[in-house]
Amino acid sequence: MMKSGIDQDALIQMFATATASGTEQVRKGVTQATLAALQGRELSLKNIRSVLKTVAQSASAGAAMNKLPGVDVEDLLDKAVVGMDEALLKAVDANRVALQQFVNQGADLREKHLKKALTDLEAMEDNFIGSLKKAAEAAGAQASTQWAPILEKLQAGGTLSGAKAATTAEQFVGQMQTALRDSRAASLKAAQTLAESYTALVSGVLIGMSDALTQGGTAKPRGKK
């Protein structure tokens, strides 16, 4: 079954058959599946939320089916969260690259589309944790109990992607407050046109980053123009 660009059956099966020594493979599998799903759509907050919820629900369903000796369901779910967090780090990087492209072309970060991009970055962590909460609630009482300590830990310590997203947003807000745009007035109209397709550009950058990883870091991130 496919949902949000994810083969849920394959993901459930991965968790259901994971051994006690195979949890790192689970983490990598979740990162790859999440990244692939994010690449297949515009990188909006709504789409990110949908992907995360689907991955978390699949992880929860598969972990509940796993009866292999020595397997800790909480550990499996924890690895799922780490995997999603790693994929989101790439999404944050893609946003940073795209924002920098707009700034370099003279875009004003107060322009509504780019202002929303900054707001979305600041909301990244709440969006992540909220998606996990909804997935846990949808999975039933037993799953909610299993997710509880993981969610508690996230709320206390935060996520890597959330921290990086907040730092990135803060960086660009600082640029917005200090940079002079007077000399770039001629390029503002073109930059505004680009801003209207911001999420599509971020998606292109994310695909380019993944290509670079696949090719051993030789490819350069590419954005849609």
Side-chain angles (χ1 to χ4, degrees):
M1 181 170 59
M2 294 288 291
K3 184 178 179 183
S4 300
I6 294 168
D7 185 342
Q8 286 180 280
D9 291 336
L11 208 52
I12 289 170
Q13 184 67 11
M14 181 177 72
F15 277 89
T17 58
T19 62
S21 61
T23 54
E24 279 303 303
Q25 287 302 113
V26 167
R27 176 187 61 77
K28 292 176 183 176
V30 168
T31 299
Q32 291 167 358
T34 306
L35 201 52
L38 292 175
Q39 287 176 329
R41 60 197 56 231
E42 284 198 340
L43 213 58
S44 66
L45 210 56
K46 178 182 177 183
N47 285 336
I48 290 173
R49 186 161 51 242
S50 174
V51 168
L52 294 176
K53 185 178 177 184
T54 300
V55 172
Q57 285 177 330
S58 301
S60 193
M65 294 164 59
N66 194 317
K67 305 301 180 187
L68 293 174
V71 172
D72 183 343
V73 171
E74 185 181 323
D75 186 43
L76 280 179
L77 296 180
D78 191 58
K79 288 296 189 293
V81 171
V82 174
M84 286 183 272
D85 198 16
E86 288 177 354
L88 276 188
L89 276 170
K90 298 298 178 189
V92 172
D93 274 337
N95 271 279
R96 179 184 55 76
V97 171
L99 278 168
Q100 192 61 58
Q101 286 186 31
F102 283 121
V103 170
N104 292 345
Q105 293 177 45
D108 188 335
L109 290 173
R110 291 169 295 185
E111 199 278 331
K112 65 177 182 179
H113 298 284
L114 300 186
K115 194 172 181 180
K116 182 181 184 302
L118 290 173
T119 302
D120 285 354
L121 276 173
E122 291 171 338
M124 187 74 79
E125 183 159 280
D126 288 342
N127 188 57
F128 187 1
I129 295 174
S131 299
L132 296 181
K133 281 183 178 179
K134 287 185 178 179
E137 290 167 2
Q142 183 178 355
S144 292
T145 301
Q146 292 165 341
W147 276 105
I150 295 169
L151 289 169
E152 185 177 336
K153 183 170 68 172
L154 283 178
Q155 288 171 320
T159 62
L160 292 177
S161 57
K164 190 165 188 176
T167 301
T168 300
E170 185 179 343
Q171 171 197 340
F172 282 101
V173 167
Q175 286 191 37
M176 179 178 71
Q177 291 170 342
T178 59
L180 297 174
R181 301 296 177 210
D182 295 343
S183 62
R184 299 181 177 184
S187 64
L188 286 180
K189 185 174 181 181
Q192 183 173 354
T193 302
L194 280 171
E196 291 172 358
S197 58
Y198 176 81
T199 55
L201 174 63
V202 178
S203 299
V205 172
L206 181 64
I207 291 171
M209 286 179 169
S210 297
D211 289 347
L213 289 173
T214 302
Q215 298 171 28
T218 56
K220 294 181 180 179
R222 64 181 186 274
K224 296 178 185 177
K225 295 187 178 179

